[in-house]
Amino acid sequence: YENPPHWFREDKSYNPKTEIRGGFTEEFAFEELKKIFGKNNVFSNVKIFEGKEIKGEIDVLVVFANRAIVVQAKSKTLTIEARKGNDNCLKDDFAKAIQKSYDQGFSCANLLKSGNCRLIDSKSNEITINNNFKEIYIFCLIADHYPALSFQSKQLLKFEQSDIILPPFVMDVFTLDAIIEMLSSPLYFLSYINRRVKYSDRIMATHELTILSYHLKRNLWISKEHDFFYLGDDISIDLDIAMM
């Protein structure tokens, strides 16, 4: 079941077509986020210009009031060697997928914050937005089902943050699908995203959906008197049943 995509990539005549996977990931995020934020607030393949020079490109951009979400989608998957536990291969795959995705997202977020740029969407229309952002979120989105993604991101991802640009949220398309299914309004969605990224160094679970399940049942809130939460896998059973 896992091997065919790797065989396809090794076929030089077919390899250019593997871009289809990345295209799907972008389109999926675009269509799903429109369900929450509306078609007028979600844009795909946004190019960021300073003068006539392209400084960055955002796969999917969401602008809602004074919040923005920058989605950078990657189709790069874990190689077979990395899945077997080869540490060097794992770090290399992570750098090519997640770290690269974050670096692009952070660069674009800084450009948005500066307000000194023009945004052009996939249909060559200029996007007029309020650049006075209070919060900018960076989503690193991958196409692979990857349960260890949350844990490995804690160990391997190098990121920066400020009062406006918050820590990144690294997820696969299945996690994004579940969050949108369960938190189907802008305020519910943004409230969860805000807490999830702000608590990124204070909460741990073996799977991202466990944290979502806890939020749906108990409301994700960690008081200052608690330094760290570890959530057991059994917490996700209610979400698993609901999704079934």
Side-chain angles (χ1 to χ4, degrees):
Y1 179 79
E2 295 287 350
N3 285 339
H6 299 285
W7 297 338
F8 294 156
R9 289 190 192 89
E10 291 168 6
D11 183 342
K12 300 303 180 187
S13 62
Y14 181 82
N15 196 50
K17 298 180 183 178
T18 57
E19 293 177 3
I20 294 170
R21 188 183 182 96
F24 161 77
T25 309
E26 291 178 27
E27 186 177 346
F28 175 83
F30 177 62
E31 293 298 330
E32 291 298 302
L33 288 166
K34 280 198 300 183
K35 293 178 183 178
I36 292 182
F37 295 100
K39 63 181 181 180
N40 294 327
N41 297 315
V42 185
F43 312 93
S44 66
N45 294 314
V46 177
K47 291 183 173 61
I48 304 175
F49 284 84
E50 278 189 353
K52 295 183 178 180
E53 186 179 356
I54 298 177
K55 288 290 187 177
E57 185 171 353
I58 301 172
D59 292 333
V60 180
L61 172 65
V62 178
V63 178
F64 185 78
N66 56 359
R67 266 70 170 178
I69 300 173
V70 174
V71 181
Q72 298 292 25
K74 289 294 177 187
S75 59
K76 176 76 177 74
T77 61
L78 280 183
T79 58
I80 293 175
E81 283 302 311
R83 288 179 183 275
K84 288 178 179 178
N86 185 313
D87 190 51
N88 289 331
C89 288
L90 178 61
K91 290 178 179 178
D92 184 59
D93 289 351
F94 192 93
K96 290 177 180 176
I98 311 303
Q99 189 66 57
K100 185 177 179 181
S101 172
Y102 169 74
D103 292 343
Q104 290 174 347
F106 185 74
S107 172
C108 292
N110 271 314
L111 289 167
L112 287 177
K113 186 178 73 168
S114 73
N116 299 321
C117 54
R118 292 186 303 119
L119 306 179
I120 306 296
D121 68 11
S122 57
K123 297 179 180 178
S124 299
N125 298 317
E126 185 164 350
I127 303 169
T128 303
I129 60 172
N130 175 15
N131 290 97
N132 187 27
F133 291 113
K134 184 176 181 180
E135 293 170 349
I136 300 176
Y137 300 97
I138 300 172
F139 287 6
C140 302
L141 185 67
I142 64 171
D144 246 8
H145 173 60
Y146 193 177
L149 188 59
S150 177
F151 177 77
Q152 288 183 1
S153 297
K154 281 180 177 292
Q155 306 300 314
L156 301 175
L157 183 61
K158 298 175 182 177
F159 65 89
E160 303 175 45
Q161 70 178 85
S162 65
D163 292 338
I164 295 176
I165 303 175
L166 299 179
F169 194 173
V170 183
M171 71 183 89
D172 56 32
V173 291
F174 306 99
T175 299
L176 180 63
D177 182 43
I179 295 172
I180 289 172
E181 178 79 17
M182 294 296 163
L183 301 170
S184 55
S185 79
L187 295 183
Y188 282 146
F189 185 88
L190 287 171
S191 174
Y192 174 67
I193 297 304
N194 176 272
R195 296 182 204 177
R196 177 64 189 93
V197 300
K198 285 189 173 180
Y199 294 152
S200 60
D201 60 341
R202 298 173 64 197
I203 193 166
M204 181 177 287
T206 56
H207 197 290
E208 193 61 47
L209 293 181
T210 304
I211 303 174
L212 174 61
S213 184
Y214 180 86
H215 174 72
L216 295 172
K217 290 197 290 183
R218 298 287 180 87
N219 193 16
L220 186 62
W221 183 266
I222 304 177
S223 63
K224 293 181 179 179
E225 63 193 47
H226 296 105
D227 297 322
F228 191 77
F229 267 31
Y230 179 81
L231 303 179
D233 291 347
D234 58 308
I235 291 172
S236 66
I237 186 65
D238 300 281
L239 178 60
D240 292 341
I241 292 170
M243 294 299 286
M244 289 282 283

